């Protein structure tokens, strides 16, 4: 029997994004983090079906934030402007200091 052939097709085959795109506030938050902390590194996370391209900014002590950048090019431009190293998280992984900071600050996991 052709059960699946009887399903009605969606009117709009365009996939939907589940999350919002990057805003100026996201980039401003990354810039504020970079200028207020030392030893910051950026870890680029690729776009998924759920989120836009994101960057995790990690300070020398492991404190971190994650914000959308819109594209890898925008992340690279921001990193170059502030002389911050930019790594691909899928290739390098995240530094141990980030995990240590997460263990020391369990209240951040509730967000």
């Amino acid at each position: 029997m052709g059960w699946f052939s009887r399903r009605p097709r969606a009117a709009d085959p365009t996939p939907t994004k589940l999350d919002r795109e990057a805003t100026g506030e996201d980039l401003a938050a990354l810039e504020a983090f970079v200028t207020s902390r030392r030893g910051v590194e950026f870890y680029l996370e690729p776009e998924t079906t759920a989120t836009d391209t994101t960057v995790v900014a990690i300070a020398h002590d492991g404190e971190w934030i994650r914000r959308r950048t819109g594209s890898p090019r925008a992340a690279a431009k921001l990193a170059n402007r502030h002389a911050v190293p930019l790594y691909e998280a899928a290739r390098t992984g995240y530094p141990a200091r980030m995990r240590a900071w997460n263990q020391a600050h369990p209240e951040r996991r509730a967000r």
Side-chain angles (χ1 to χ4, degrees), residues 56-109:
V56 177
I58 305 173
H60 78 284
D61 60 353
E63 182 181 3
W64 62 275
I65 64 166
R66 175 181 285 118
R67 295 292 185 271
R68 292 162 189 84
T69 59
S71 71
R73 178 175 284 163
K77 189 175 177 182
L78 183 63
N80 286 336
R81 186 178 324 130
H82 292 283
V84 172
L86 176 65
Y87 304 106
E88 289 183 45
R91 288 187 179 188
T92 63
Y94 300 101
R97 68 181 185 273
M98 179 182 172
R99 289 185 290 280
W101 194 87
N102 284 340
Q103 287 181 332
H105 298 87
E107 69 279 0
R108 280 282 300 261
R109 284 188 226 152

